[in-house]
Amino acid sequence: MGLKILVLAKQVPDTRNVGQDAMKPDGTVNRAALPAIFNPEDLNALEQALRLKDTFPGTTVHIVTMGPPRAAEIIREAMFRGADGGYLVTDRAFAGADTLATSYTLSLAVKKLAPFDLILAGRQAIDGDTAQVGPQVADKVAVPQITYAEEIQSVKDGKIRVKRRLERGIEIVESPLPCVVTVHSSAAECRFRNSKLTMKNKHAKTLSELQETESSYVNLYKTSPWLTITEWSANDLNPDFNCLGLTGSPTKVKTIENVVLTAKESVQLTPSDSDMDNLMKELIANHTIG
Amino acid sequence: MNNVFVYIEIEDGAVADVSLELLTKGKKLANQLEKKLEAIAIGFNLQGLEKELFPYGVDVLHVADDKRLAPYTTLPHNKIVCEIFKREQPEIALFGASSVGRDLAPRICSTTGSGLTADCTSLEIGDHTDPKTKQEYKNLLYQIRPAFGGNIIATIINPDTRPQIATVREGVMKKEIFDANYKGEVKKFDISILNDADFVVKVIEREIEKSKVNLKASQVIVAGGYGVGSRENFKLLYELAEVLGGEVAGSRAAVDSGFVDHERQVGQTGVTVRPKLYIACGISGAVQHTAGMQESSIIISINNDPLAPINTIADYVISGDLNEVLPKMVKYYKQNTK
C-alpha cells in the first residue's frame, strides 16, 4: 500500500545566527546577510514522510513550497534526502503574505495535487514562530489536523496514529486519512543526504532555472523527467487574487522598532574574591536572598 | 456585540493560568473600549465554573458541556467557537499560546478570515491611519511582539477584519481578581450543531504530568545561555540554584542546544518570570529572552563579553568566566549566611 504524501516546507532566513549586520540602518531586515536554510521543523516532517516511504513501498513524497525562485534549493535538498520531487509556488503576487494568505495559496496548490493521503509540515517556521499555516491549510482543505507531532506510530486501515509532544506530557491521537500533521522539533532528526540520490538529482531544476542552464544539459531533462521541478505561478492556481499576498493578509505591520534596551545604571564587578564577597553580603542584607 | 472574548483552556477540570491572565488583560481592554468581557468554556463537567471566572470580571460565560468535549480535540472546539463568533461578532478574541491555543486559534482564523498574531508580549488599544488611503481607524488592538530573531519589535494590527485575534504565552500577563463579588451571566451553548464528523479524531492515550519545574513561583532563578557551553557546565548553575533555593532556567539557544530541558525555557516562546533575583549566565540578551525576564527585581549578568546586550538591563554586571564566578558566589553565600 503506497501513500501519496505532500510535505509543506519553507526556505527561511537563519534567524538563529543573526549577526550585527542583519538589520539595515533604516530598520528593515537585511536578507542578504542571512543565510537561507531549510526550515528545521520541516526537515523533521520530511523525515516522518521518508520513514513512511521506507515502510510502505510505492509511497511518494513531494515537497510543496511557496517562496522566491531560489526556494527551489530546498526541493533539491529534499530530493537528495529521499523525496521524489516537488512543487515550487512562486509569484510576485504572493509577496507580503501573512499566514492566512500563505495558507490560502498553499491550499490551492495542495488541492491541485489531490487526492493525497497525508500532508506533513513542520510545526512552525523559525522566521515567524507562528505555527499557524499547518492548521489553516487543514481548515481550507477541510481535513482534520494533528499538531505538535513527535512520531507517526502507525498508518493502517485508513487511519493514522500519532504521538504528540505537549508542554507537560504526551498524547496519542488517531485521525482518519487524509489529514494534516505538523511535526515538532522533538521528532527524529532528518536523515542526511544519500550520495546516490544526490548524484541522481543534482541537476533537478525548475523551468526558470533551466533557462539559465548550459545547453549541453538540455537533453537530460527529456530523458530524466523527474529532474524538472514543477513551478506554479498564481495563474496556475486560478486564485481569487484578493486573497493573495499583501492584499489577502488581514494582519498589517503598523510599526517596527529596532530594539534598544533602556540602560540601567549597572554596578560593574570583577570575579575577584572581594567583589564576590561584597555582592553576596549586599544581596543577603537587602533580603534578595537568604 | 463587539465584545472582548477569551477562550478558557481547561486541563483535567482546572482552568489554565494563562486563561485567567487573559481574562485580567481582557477586562482592561474591554473597559477601555466600554465593552463587555465574555468567556468561552468548552469541556465536560463544567458546572460551577462561573464561580471561579466571574471574579475576573466576566460578564457572559458561554459554556459547552459534553463528555465528548474533553479532552480537547480540534474540530468540535473549533466549530463551537466559530459558531459563537458568528453570532456574537467579537471585537477582540484572546487565546493562550499553548499547544491548545496554538492548535485552535489558527483554524478559527482560517474560518473567520481574521488576522492572528502569535505570542504577543503586549496588547494595547490605539488608533491608526492607513499611510496610503489616509483612512482612519479608531481603537484597534495593537498586537506587539518581537520578530525576526529578536532584532525588531513589531506592532501588528488587523484594520479590516474582526475579531482581532491574538495568542499570549502563560505568564506574560498578570492574573488579578477584578472584583470578588462580580456577577455575570451563564449562557449554555446548544451542542446539537455537533455531529459524528466532528469527532473523527480520537484521543487514545494521554500522559500529562503536573509540571515538575515551577519557574514562575521561584524567587531566585539562575539562567544559562548558549555561552554556558555544555550540559555539563550547567551543573554549576544547578549548584548555585540549590544553595540559593532557586530554580535553573535557560535561554532558547541553551534549550535548542540541548544544554537544558525545554520546560525551563525563559522568554517569548517559553515562560515569563518575575523573580526577586535573576542571574543570567552566558546569556547575550536577545529581546525574546529579555521579554521573559526584564521585570525581575534584581538582574545579575555574568558574561565574558562586556558588550552583551543583557548588561544594559542588569543591576550588576560581572565581567568574567562563569566557571570562576559561580563557585565563588556559592562559597561567599555560604560564608556570609553561617
Side-chain angles (χ1 to χ4, degrees), chain A residues 139, chain B residues 4-10 38-43 46 61-65 69 72-96 100-101 103-114 116 162-167 189-191 193-194 198:
Chain A
D139 183 67
Chain B
V4 176
F5 277 67
V6 174
Y7 171 84
I8 304 295
E9 205 169 299
I10 298 160
E38 306 199 25
I40 300 174
I42 303 170
L46 301 181
L61 173 63
H62 301 263
V63 177
D65 197 332
L69 294 172
Y72 165 86
T73 53
T74 316
L75 298 177
H77 281 239
N78 174 58
K79 197 171 188 178
I80 291 168
V81 176
C82 285
E83 179 63 27
I84 293 174
F85 283 3
K86 200 167 88 189
R87 290 180 201 163
E88 306 291 340
Q89 302 288 314
E91 184 69 14
I92 291 171
L94 306 177
F95 293 77
V100 171
D103 182 87
L104 180 60
R107 188 137 186 156
I108 289 167
C109 290
S110 175
T111 307
T112 59
S114 346
L116 167 61
R162 295 291 178 274
Q164 306 166 82
I165 307 187
T167 68
F189 183 86
D190 177 8
I191 56 152
I193 63 158
L194 299 176
D198 296 312

Side-chain angles (χ1 to χ4, degrees), chain A residues 124 129 139 143 145 147 167-168 170-172 174 252 254-255 257 264 266-267 269 271 273 282, chain B residues 99 102-103 107 110 153 155 157 202 204-207 209 252 312 314-317 328 332 336:
Chain A
Q124 62 192 33
D129 284 338
D139 183 67
V143 297
Q145 70 194 45
T147 53
E167 291 93 338
R168 295 201 252 281
I170 58 125
E171 187 176 81
I172 293 165
E174 193 175 81
K252 311 283 180 204
K254 179 174 165 59
T255 51
E257 284 166 48
K264 285 185 190 174
S266 320
V267 178
L269 301 173
D273 287 279
E282 194 174 324
Chain B
S99 58
R102 282 158 63 87
D103 182 87
R107 188 137 186 156
S110 175
I153 299 272
T155 300
I157 48 171
K202 310 254 186 247
I204 309 291
E205 198 184 313
R206 301 187 94 221
E207 283 173 36
E209 307 164 355
R252 179 173 178 167
T312 60
D315 300 275
Y316 299 90
V317 174
K328 281 189 182 174
Y332 288 107
N336 288 306

